[in-house]
Each structure stands twice: as C-alpha cells, then as structure tokens.
C-alpha cells in the first residue's frame, strides 16, 4: 500500500492510499435526522443528528473533488418486513408503523431516504442494509474487495449504533477505519464522547478518530 496521504488523528497519524480508501456515510436518512422519523419514535431529540449535515456535506464535496470511492448506507426493510429479524421488531416496534414521513424504516418511504443535502450522485454506491452493521446481509465486502479498498473514512449516524457496528465489522475484516468525530453524532452527547474514546483507545483498538478540519487539511 502506497500511503500517500496523512491525517493527524488519535491515537496516531492515519496514513492511507487515496485510491484504496472509501468514504462511507452511514444512514444519513430523514428517519434519523428529521422530526417524525425512527430516531424520534425511539424517544430521541434529533437536533444533534441534523446538525452534522453541513459537516458531512463538506467532507462529501471534498471526497467528490478527490474522486474517492463513496458509499451511502441506508438502514431499512422491505415493505412486507420479511427481512426484519423478530428480535429487532420486538425492541423497535416503530418499524413499519405509519409516521408523518411514511412507514418508518421501510425502503421507498420518504423518511427512509437520505437527507436532501447529501443526495447520492451517479457513480456512488447506495447500500441498503437490514441491520446496524453495514456488512451484515449486504454485498459491502464484495464491493470493497472488487474496488481494492483497504481504508475507510467513516461519517454518519448514530455513532454508538450503526457507525460503531460498521467500524467493528470492518476492523475484524482487516479494514483500517478513520471515524470523523464531528461528522458523526449521537442523540445524547455522553454517547458521542464514549464512542470516540472506544474507537481510539488501547492504541486504536477499532481504528482512528479525527476532526473534519484535520481530515480536510490532510486531504489537501
Ligand atoms: N437508534 C439508533 O441510535 N440508531 C439506529 O437505530 N440506527 C443507526 O444508528 N443508523
């Protein structure tokens, strides 16, 4: 791997080959970032998830400028809900219920869509996933292998749930992950702080973390 780029990060500098690095944006869907969606149905205030949209947009624009491989994930299910495991439905009973943005976390419904500012463009992968981790029951690993991707820059929501699950899955599969601290969000700030520490602790047990400013500096 020719590590031609460097970003100041914790626990140490993240170096990577741009051609072997993808930006993965996790679940920036209306259901998590707008009033009336799944996030709110679970009892959360969506202000923190909505507030990172401009930061994620800045990173997305830069990745597009740099011709990086870009993946957008969406958590959601088939209309007949045949792909919801019973254990998930039991503890997330809002799934499939009708809300102000359509049926919650159901593919094709308005709330399931990615927020307008971050709309994917031609050439970018949209990955629908039924679980929290982006590798579970998807073709993500096949896509990454075919594209020769070895490193992932990770943004999106929520940090402690789908972002963490995805980074943990990726780390076990040998991918080096850089999580963007202000390009991710939780509903409760205590979870954000813990999530960041849980990635970069113990010498980078799951990967690296940095800020959008440092990423932008490193990519320039
Ligand atoms: N509940 C919560 O914080 N998150 C999720 O259910 N899914 C994602 O993180 N995308």
């Amino acid at each position: 791997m020719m590590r031609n780029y460097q970003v100041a990060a914790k626990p140490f500098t993240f170096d990577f080959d741009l051609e072997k690095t993808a930006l993965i944006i996790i679940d920036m869907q209306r259901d998590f970032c707008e009033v009336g969606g799944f996030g709110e149905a679970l009892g959360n205030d969506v202000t923190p998830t909505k507030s990172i949209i401009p930061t994620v947009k800045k990173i997305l624009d830069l990745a597009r400028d740099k011709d990086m491989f870009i993946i957008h994930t969406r958590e959601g299910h088939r209309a007949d809900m045949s792909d919801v495991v019973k254990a998930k439905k039991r503890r997330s009973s809002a799934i499939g219920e009708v809300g102000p943005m359509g049926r919650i976390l159901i593919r094709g419904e308005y709330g399931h869509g990615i927020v307008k500012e971050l709309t994917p463009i031609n050439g970018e992968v949209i990955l629908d996933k039924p679980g929290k981790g982006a590798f579970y029951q998807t073709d993500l690993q096949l896509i990454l292998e075919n594209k020769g991707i070895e490193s992932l820059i990770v943004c999106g929501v929520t940090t402690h749930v789908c972002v963490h699950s995805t980074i943990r899955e990726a780390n076990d599969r040998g991918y080096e992950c850089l999580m963007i601290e202000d390009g991710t969000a939780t509903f409760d700030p205590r979870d954000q702080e813990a999530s960041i520490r849980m990635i970069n602790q113990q010498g980078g047990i799951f990967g690296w973390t940095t800020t959008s400013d440092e990423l932008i500096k490193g990519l320039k």
Side-chain angles (χ1 to χ4, degrees), residues 27 32 38 42 75 129 132 157-158 160-162 187:
D27 301 358
F32 295 104
F38 184 55
L42 294 170
E75 180 179 352
K129 62 186 182 67
K132 304 304 186 197
V157 295
T158 57
H160 58 317
V161 181
C162 291
F187 300 116

Side-chain angles (χ1 to χ4, degrees), residues 37-214:
F38 184 55
E40 202 182 55
L42 294 170
N44 303 298
D45 169 12
V46 295
T47 308
T49 51
K50 192 183 183 69
S51 72
I52 65 163
I53 295 172
T55 304
V56 178
K57 176 69 164 72
K58 219 164 34 172
I59 294 166
L60 177 59
D61 284 343
L62 183 59
R64 284 171 176 166
D65 276 355
K66 288 279 177 187
D67 265 333
M68 275 178 75
F69 188 58
I70 297 168
I71 300 161
H72 305 257
T73 72
R74 300 187 297 202
E75 180 179 352
H77 298 280
R78 295 168 184 270
D80 66 2
M81 296 179 56
S82 55
D83 58 351
V84 189
V85 292
K86 279 198 199 90
K88 182 177 185 182
K89 177 64 185 160
R90 183 172 174 223
R91 284 169 292 112
S92 296
S93 56
I95 297 172
E97 297 302 310
V98 178
M101 294 192 289
R103 292 180 68 205
I104 288 176
L105 279 200
I106 299 296
R107 294 177 190 160
E109 299 287 333
Y110 184 70
H112 175 263
I114 291 172
V115 297
K116 182 176 86 269
E117 296 89 334
L118 304 175
T119 302
I121 60 172
N122 252 352
E124 296 174 359
V125 171
I126 299 173
L127 189 93
D128 281 316
K129 62 186 182 67
K132 304 304 186 197
F135 288 85
Y136 173 68
Q137 297 287 5
T138 72
D139 53 7
L140 178 58
Q141 188 159 2
L142 178 62
I143 293 170
L144 297 178
E145 283 171 7
N146 282 340
K147 289 282 173 185
I149 299 296
E150 296 179 4
S151 306
L152 299 172
I153 294 171
V154 190
C155 293
V157 295
T158 57
T159 325
H160 58 317
V161 181
C162 291
V163 172
H164 250 250
S165 291
T166 298
I167 289 176
R168 288 165 186 241
E169 288 180 328
N171 180 63
D172 274 342
R173 287 164 176 77
Y175 297 98
E176 297 198 320
C177 298
L178 175 64
M179 189 180 88
I180 309 306
E181 297 172 9
D182 54 333
T184 53
T186 58
F187 300 116
D188 182 323
R190 291 173 303 180
D191 295 329
Q192 183 68 9
E193 194 193 334
S195 295
I196 292 167
R197 200 170 52 238
M198 287 161 76
I199 297 291
N200 66 33
Q201 66 170 239
Q202 301 180 61
I205 198 74
F206 293 123
W208 289 256
T209 71
T210 193
T211 60
S212 58
D213 281 347
E214 288 297 344

